[in-house]
Amino acid sequence: MPGTLQRLPAIPASRKADPHPSTEVRTLIDQLIAEQKTLQTPIARYSDYHDAAPDLAEHYRTLIPLTKPREGEQYAFEVALDRCTGCKACVSACHSLNGLDDEEAWRDVGMIHGGSATPGWQQTVTTACHHCEDPGCMNGCPVGAYEKDRDTGIVRHLDDQCIGCSYCILKCPFDVPKYSAKRGIVRKCDMCHQRLAEGEAPACVQSCPTEAIRIVKVRTGASAIPQDFLPGAPDPTITRPTTRYVGREVPQGAIAADREALVPEHAHWPLVLMLMLTQAGVGMLLGGIGMGNTATAILGNVLFFAGMGASLLHLGQPLKAWRFFLGLRTSWLSREILAFSMFAPVPMVIAALPFAPDFPYKDLTARIAALSAPPLGLLAVFTSVMIYHDTRRTSWRFPLTAARFFGTVASFAALGHALASPSPLAMMLFALAVIAKIIPEARIAHLANDRNAPWSPDLHTARLQRGPLGRIYEGRMILAITAVAVALIQPWLSLPLLLIAELLERQLFFQSVHAPKMPGNFGPRRHH
């Protein structure tokens, strides 16, 4: 009868878990339960192995190279996907050995699945620093707090050099560096290089019960980077990661399991204030140049230096920021600091000259300050654009970021001109500047209306802005349009409205960005 259990002949004594043979007839369920008793989980096998051989030093040396890499080689993690069970023993061991903070983790375990092509396929993935051949973290650091060991290829973070700016977090496409609020610096995996130097396996390698992680030597060079690094992971050509994923074929259409999660990114409020206020100050100053209006010059100074002060709040170790010149060759953050330092005296001179007593060459000084303000101010804003464009985040690509940043400058320049010399033409220029800035923003957000559009970073941004960040987006648009309308009545009343609107726009800039990372946790990332 359908649904009845099949009766099987007695199991031979050699195959039964029961040591006392019996002629009792067993059901299929009885047989499966008996066989289950003979099976061991990876953890049980791991425990038995340790009990049988307490000194496992020689065993763990089989999981690491015993000689240093030769020319054209470096150390790398190798992850056997068919062995990874997602148990997070590697995460726990790394956390314990390195004494990490409660919410700090240098290794993550995430998941990828087959997507629409192979929906039944899934795989857990353990990941840490990839010790890239061209590390974005090292190239972006303004103070040289990273080094790549010439002998081993390990990318190390120099804690005592770090100023806690967190730019390396934005530069790394794999979300590897982690900010430690307790110490005011960034830290990351260093492959337990001290242990490797003594012939001992790193914590993650030694703790994995299935030996899914090991250290190997890999060839270096552009041709050595596997084209199929890991489907669902960020583009490997950006930094050329060295981790090798083996043991199981991954479908090319595989995607990160958390790709569709609409989780806003960190707001980075000090950077929101710094970018918005410095750009507003530059714009206000440029708009009032030549108008003889002291009020706009003073207001431009107040806005600009308020932004400069806010930038210090983003540094975990601000007293070390004087070392920014060490990164001028590779870091746009170093170049931004230099550019703003060159521009900073100009607004002070412009604002102070009307109150200064007459002195020789006063007119010449005023003329030089007025002529140098536009190129130096716009150069400083350009370096800010490049900082975010250089992260390779699609939502921060040059055309969009330049439109946002220079749009802020243009809006406040037009408003400053209207404040210094009110006229219908000045009002029209202000309205055009604000509208021209919000049109690209609205165009991106409009993508969320297409329910059948294929996933893209821009679509992810749009869905965040029309979903979890919807009220912020709507408030930004309403305030910007209201500022234009109010300017027709009294331009000074537009100033606070425009400041708040631009503040919300810059919050959206950070929180709605699609930030690439390795498949990992579904929660928001904790940045400084």
Side-chain angles (χ1 to χ4, degrees):
M1 292 177 60
T4 60
L5 295 175
Q6 178 183 6
R7 293 195 174 273
L8 302 172
I11 305 174
S14 60
R15 294 182 53 197
K16 291 189 304 180
D18 187 353
H20 305 290
S22 172
T23 58
E24 178 185 355
V25 177
R26 295 190 174 191
T27 65
L28 176 60
I29 291 179
D30 293 331
Q31 180 180 347
L32 293 176
I33 291 176
E35 290 183 353
Q36 185 67 28
K37 292 180 180 179
T38 68
L39 300 178
Q40 280 189 307
T41 64
I43 297 297
R45 289 197 299 270
Y46 181 75
S47 177
D48 288 347
Y49 194 79
H50 274 247
D51 291 341
D55 185 5
L56 294 172
E58 291 302 321
H59 167 69
Y60 286 122
R61 289 193 179 101
T62 65
L63 302 178
I64 62 173
L66 298 181
T67 58
K68 286 187 176 182
R70 295 174 296 181
E71 186 72 23
E73 292 183 333
Q74 76 161 76
Y75 287 151
F77 285 112
E78 181 182 271
V79 177
L81 295 176
D82 57 337
R83 289 173 173 257
C84 181
T85 63
C87 68
K88 297 189 178 181
C90 54
V91 178
S92 178
C94 175
H95 189 281
S96 298
L97 180 70
N98 292 292
L100 305 186
D101 299 339
D102 288 345
E103 297 184 354
E104 186 180 14
W106 293 355
R107 179 168 282 279
D108 292 316
V109 173
M111 180 179 291
I112 56 177
H113 61 74
S116 57
T118 52
W121 190 95
Q122 67 177 28
Q123 175 64 54
T124 55
V125 179
T126 176
T127 179
C129 178
H130 298 299
H131 300 280
C132 304
E133 291 189 46
D134 186 23
C137 56
M138 184 174 72
N139 295 334
C141 182
V143 293
Y146 285 89
E147 67 175 11
K148 186 172 177 66
D149 188 83
R150 292 185 178 181
D151 294 332
T152 63
I154 295 174
V155 179
R156 297 174 53 198
H157 180 261
L158 308 177
D159 292 0
D160 59 334
Q161 304 296 311
C162 182
I163 62 174
C165 69
S166 298
Y167 187 46
C168 55
I169 297 178
L170 302 182
K171 280 282 291 178
C172 176
F174 306 105
D175 190 40
V176 166
K178 300 295 190 294
Y179 183 78
S180 171
K182 180 179 179 180
R183 297 164 182 81
I185 61 172
V186 170
R187 304 196 296 174
K188 75 167 197 69
C189 158
D190 60 4
M191 203 182 278
C192 293
H193 68 278
Q194 305 97 325
R195 295 173 64 87
L196 280 175
E198 300 298 327
E200 296 185 20
C204 56
V205 174
Q206 188 163 325
S207 65
C208 181
T210 58
E211 299 179 4
I213 311 172
R214 63 175 62 230
I215 306 298
V216 296
K217 292 185 287 188
V218 298
R219 291 188 300 109
T220 56
S223 61
I225 301 300
Q227 297 301 313
D228 55 345
F229 166 64
L230 183 70
D235 182 3
T237 62
I238 297 176
T239 60
R240 293 156 56 187
T242 60
T243 302
R244 299 295 188 258
Y245 291 95
V246 300
R248 188 183 186 192
E249 185 176 352
V250 181
Q252 286 301 312
I255 60 176
D258 57 346
R259 190 182 74 171
E260 304 288 343
L262 295 179
V263 180
E265 291 295 314
H266 197 288
H268 294 287
W269 279 108
L271 293 182
V272 168
L273 292 170
M274 176 263 176
L275 291 170
M276 189 275 290
L277 291 174
T278 54
Q279 291 159 20
V282 170
M284 189 66 64
L285 192 73
L286 298 185
I289 285 181
M291 298 293 172
N293 190 298
T294 306
T296 56
I298 294 175
L299 180 59
N301 269 268
V302 171
L303 292 174
F304 177 79
F305 286 104
M308 293 291 285
S311 67
L312 297 177
L313 300 177
H314 191 68
L315 301 180
Q317 302 285 338
L319 296 180
K320 297 180 180 179
W322 62 271
R323 301 171 60 253
F324 74 90
F325 62 87
L326 295 175
L328 285 173
R329 189 174 60 86
T330 60
S331 176
W332 277 103
L333 181 54
S334 289
R335 296 163 187 168
E336 182 197 47
I337 296 173
L338 177 62
F340 274 99
S341 298
M342 293 169 59
F343 174 74
V346 176
M348 289 191 292
V349 171
I350 292 176
L353 279 177
F355 302 97
D358 289 339
F359 60 89
Y361 306 112
K362 181 178 180 180
D363 291 340
L364 178 61
T365 302
R367 192 174 299 112
I368 293 174
L371 291 175
S372 61
L376 290 178
L378 295 177
L379 175 63
V381 175
F382 172 77
T383 59
S384 294
V385 173
M386 291 304 300
I387 281 177
Y388 297 95
H389 167 70
D390 198 42
T391 64
R392 305 288 190 92
R393 298 186 177 190
T394 304
S395 307
W396 288 350
R397 58 190 180 272
F398 186 87
L400 293 182
T401 303
R404 287 178 181 268
F405 290 10
F406 285 109
T408 299
V409 174
S411 297
F412 279 92
L415 180 58
H417 183 74
L419 294 175
S421 178
S423 69
L425 177 60
M427 294 300 104
M428 184 178 68
L429 290 175
F430 173 60
L432 289 176
V434 173
I435 293 173
K437 184 174 190 295
I438 65 177
I439 286 177
E441 300 172 32
R443 188 174 298 165
I444 292 291
H446 183 71
L447 295 175
N449 296 331
D450 187 353
R451 300 295 180 183
N452 298 318
W455 186 91
S456 68
D458 283 347
L459 181 61
H460 182 85
T461 294
R463 287 175 176 171
L464 278 172
Q465 292 184 356
R466 302 305 296 272
L469 303 174
R471 291 188 177 182
I472 299 173
Y473 172 78
E474 293 167 2
R476 182 271 184 283
M477 290 297 177
I478 292 172
L479 285 170
I481 295 172
T482 304
V484 172
V486 170
L488 300 175
I489 304 171
Q490 174 52 261
W492 281 101
L493 295 178
S494 293
L495 179 61
L497 295 175
L498 186 61
L499 283 171
I500 299 174
E502 291 300 294
L503 187 72
L504 296 179
E505 179 272 314
R506 208 49 48 90
Q507 180 185 357
L508 290 171
F509 175 78
F510 283 103
Q511 288 205 279
S512 65
V513 65
H514 171 254
K517 65 184 183 69
M518 291 296 289
N521 298 324
F522 283 77
R525 288 174 282 186
R526 295 178 175 84
H527 293 175
H528 179 224

